[in-house]
Amino acid sequence: MAISGTGNLHRALSGYRCSRSAMVWSLMGLLLMLQLYSFASRRNVVRGDIQLHVSRHPLVRELEQVEEENIQVPPPKKKKSPHAAKRRRKRSATLIDEFLDENSQIRHVFFPDMKSAIDPVKGVENGSHHYYPGKIWLDTEGNPIQAHGGGMLYDERSNTYYWYGEYKDGPTYRAHKRGAARVDVIGVGCYSSKDLWTWKNQGIVLAAEQTNETHDLHKSNVLERPKVVFNEKTGKYVMWMHIDDANYTKASVGIAISDYPTGPFEYLHSQRPHGFDSRDMTIFKDDDGVVYLIYSSQDNSELHIGPLTSDYLDVQPDMRRILIGQHREAPALFKYQGTYYMITSGCTGWAPNEALAHAAESIMGPWETMGNPCIGGNKMFRLATFFAQSTFVVPLPGIPGSYIFMADRWNPAELRNSRYVWLPLIVGGPPDRPLEYNFGFPPWPRVSIYWHKKWRLPSSWKVSK
């Protein structure tokens, strides 16, 4: 009987274990079904949102039309430019190799000459209010715009856009044999516009220091990526910028202020924010008026983000490290329906690389990577961010979920001849990549930057008044 009882006990335990195992697997299956259902529901919601978005704004449908590029790499030539020769490639040449070769046979594809320049004075002949990414862009005086690595300020007091950027209208050279291509600091250029297409030169609003070699703004140093915000409490326009020496060892931010958007700006000082090195940077003003500084740090291996003080002249102690170990730079932030988005680039010097889009429910993180936002052109265009690097994202009031992606197409052989790549950026549509650190797909829609050789804002769009 004992043996028989033991056998029954074993069978009972075995049945219990099987039942428990089945229950666990059933629960896992149920959780998986719920996750899939939740994801499908989110995709349907997002898809419905973008369909409604398109129906309200027919231009969005036009901008979402994918334009392809069929650019062939030419056969190798006997004589190579110095920059191309240094690369000593054993593989076949790529479009990026051709882009970096100032003697390339297809140089004109990336850097069209002055004959095709965008001239607002001759707008009717040139295609009124159309953007031509990569072409020379002239101001109202007929001169190429000099506002590289720039940022945009919409001034509600004057209903005017102000475009600030690096004024690089000087000769390109290298401080030493292994140094990066550079132009002596000239200052920060400023341009004004009522329509984001016709730009009037307001002059250099923060000028370089010519004689005092110890000054941050001495012409031998580095001034990059200036961004300006207006402080309603103090009535001051505040500029933040990347300040460095020729060897990029100072790695600081500089702060300047002005009573007017057109300057002149008074330079205050530089600092290493939160005690860390700071290189590529930007600032972002949230809906509540709080401004955040975002900068590449730890030798560009990660980004740091934190709020500024109420006068916008210093950082607060609170700081978060984000995208750790991902080596991202050139951050450009924007916000849509309560979600924060950011476009970044990789760290490859003047050479173009793949952009990534990131999103977060809180600006302080955690931030999730959503993938490459570029659509159209061809595979190499997308992997090279259309041969450009992010610098700013401009909201378009009246067209929800639509923005202008501002980027620079750097020309290291002649930096003054670097170009601007402005393209439509649209938030909408189901995500196509799972989250990196969480199970499933993100609840927010994807970010898309569409390639166009020629595009425009809707004719009915006007600056808010």
Side-chain angles (χ1 to χ4, degrees):
M1 294 295 294
I3 295 175
S4 176
T6 302
N8 290 333
L9 179 60
H10 281 307
R11 283 193 296 272
L13 290 173
S14 177
Y16 171 74
R17 284 194 296 268
C18 290
S19 298
R20 186 175 61 178
S21 177
M23 183 173 63
V24 169
W25 281 107
S26 297
L27 285 173
M28 290 182 65
L30 179 61
L31 287 173
L32 179 60
M33 290 178 64
L34 288 173
Q35 179 70 26
L36 291 174
Y37 175 77
S38 175
F39 168 60
S41 300
R42 288 197 300 264
R43 287 176 68 92
N44 289 334
V45 169
V46 171
R47 187 179 293 110
D49 176 71
I50 189 62
Q51 286 175 348
L52 181 62
H53 172 65
V54 170
S55 66
R56 286 199 306 266
H57 301 285
L59 181 73
V60 174
R61 186 182 298 109
E62 174 187 331
L63 296 179
E64 287 182 328
Q65 298 299 315
V66 176
E67 288 191 27
E68 299 294 338
E69 293 283 354
N70 185 23
I71 301 173
Q72 301 297 323
V73 176
K77 56 184 182 295
K78 294 181 180 180
K79 184 179 179 181
K80 299 178 182 178
S81 72
H83 295 295
K86 288 179 181 178
R87 295 172 71 84
R88 293 185 180 179
R89 51 182 179 262
K90 296 180 181 179
R91 53 178 171 74
S92 300
T94 67
L95 282 180
I96 290 184
D97 294 317
E98 295 297 327
F99 173 83
L100 294 172
D101 184 356
E102 56 263 41
N103 294 327
S104 170
Q105 301 172 57
I106 58 172
R107 182 75 170 172
H108 63 283
V109 172
F110 306 111
F111 299 98
D113 61 22
M114 193 69 172
K115 295 178 182 178
S116 63
I118 306 169
D119 189 345
V121 177
K122 302 177 181 178
V124 176
E125 305 171 17
N126 216 312
S128 181
H129 289 77
H130 279 86
Y131 298 101
Y132 295 82
K135 289 189 176 182
I136 296 173
W137 198 347
L138 306 180
D139 62 22
T140 53
E141 298 175 355
N143 299 313
I145 294 173
Q146 291 288 335
H148 309 282
M152 194 72 65
L153 168 71
Y154 175 64
D155 184 45
E156 295 182 352
R157 301 197 297 183
S158 60
N159 298 315
T160 303
Y161 284 95
Y162 292 94
W163 179 7
Y164 302 90
E166 305 159 30
Y167 201 92
K168 288 187 174 296
D169 196 16
T172 299
Y173 71 98
R174 296 176 185 272
H176 50 83
K177 188 176 181 180
R178 294 186 178 182
R182 59 163 286 131
V183 170
D184 278 346
V185 177
I186 298 174
V188 176
C190 175
Y191 296 80
S192 63
S193 175
K194 295 286 188 179
D195 58 12
L196 288 172
W197 188 77
T198 306
W199 294 97
K200 178 182 178 181
N201 186 0
Q202 297 289 347
I204 295 175
V205 296
L206 179 66
E209 167 61 40
Q210 299 297 321
T211 57
N212 183 359
E213 296 184 3
T214 66
H215 198 284
D216 285 346
L217 300 184
H218 186 260
K219 61 182 181 180
S220 64
N221 289 327
V222 170
L223 188 166
E224 295 177 339
R225 299 186 173 272
K227 305 294 187 289
V228 175
V229 287
F230 177 67
N231 190 310
E232 287 82 2
K233 294 180 180 178
T234 65
K236 299 288 186 180
Y237 294 86
V238 184
M239 179 187 296
W240 283 67
M241 69 212 85
H242 171 204
I243 293 293
D244 229 316
D245 54 34
N247 296 317
Y248 284 84
T249 59
K250 186 178 180 66
S252 301
V253 291
I255 303 101
I257 59 172
S258 176
D259 293 326
Y260 307 98
T262 54
F265 280 79
E266 175 191 357
Y267 185 76
L268 300 181
H269 58 266
S270 66
Q271 63 172 281
R272 282 196 162 191
H274 309 108
F276 287 90
D277 58 302
S278 171
R279 291 183 173 84
D280 275 12
M281 49 66 64
T282 191
I283 51 177
F284 173 79
K285 188 174 184 179
D286 210 342
D287 302 332
D288 58 4
V290 178
V291 172
Y292 294 83
L293 172 68
I294 304 94
Y295 57 97
S296 296
S297 192
Q298 299 291 69
D299 293 324
N300 287 344
S301 66
E302 61 192 40
L303 292 179
H304 293 178
I305 183 167
L308 301 185
T309 52
S310 61
D311 58 8
Y312 303 168
L313 300 182
D314 200 356
V315 294
Q316 295 188 41
D318 191 17
M319 182 271 285
R320 295 289 186 277
R321 299 167 60 207
I322 63 174
L323 307 184
I324 297 172
Q326 296 190 35
H327 296 273
R328 309 303 296 175
E329 64 178 13
L333 273 74
F334 59 102
K335 186 179 183 181
Y336 178 60
Q337 293 186 342
T339 299
Y340 299 89
Y341 297 91
M342 177 167 56
I343 307 294
T344 65
S345 85
C347 301
T348 55
W350 296 117
N353 56 65
E354 183 179 19
L356 290 177
H358 316 269
E361 296 301 323
S362 167
I363 194 170
M364 298 294 279
W367 284 81
E368 294 282 359
T369 298
M370 302 175 68
N372 188 337
C374 299
I375 296 178
N378 57 37
K379 181 179 180 180
M380 190 56 70
F381 265 59
R382 294 187 291 274
L383 291 177
T385 316
F386 313 118
F387 299 92
Q389 185 183 40
S390 52
T391 186
F392 203 78
V393 175
V394 184
L396 292 175
I399 314 180
S402 298
Y403 303 80
I404 294 178
F405 171 68
M406 292 174 56
D408 295 281
R409 180 173 290 175
W410 298 113
N411 182 354
E414 189 181 9
L415 286 169
R416 67 175 13 140
N417 196 27
S418 297
R419 307 299 173 83
Y420 309 104
V421 174
W422 286 24
L423 291 167
L425 183 154
I426 297 173
V427 182
D432 55 5
R433 171 174 168 164
L435 296 174
E436 287 191 39
Y437 304 111
N438 293 309
F439 181 68
F441 282 72
W444 45 76
R446 69 164 281 125
V447 174
S448 303
I449 301 170
Y450 292 92
W451 169 251
H452 291 273
K453 296 179 182 177
K454 173 184 176 181
W455 70 284
R456 63 173 178 83
L457 294 174
S459 57
S460 59
W461 183 85
K462 294 181 180 179
V463 175
S464 302
K465 294 184 180 180

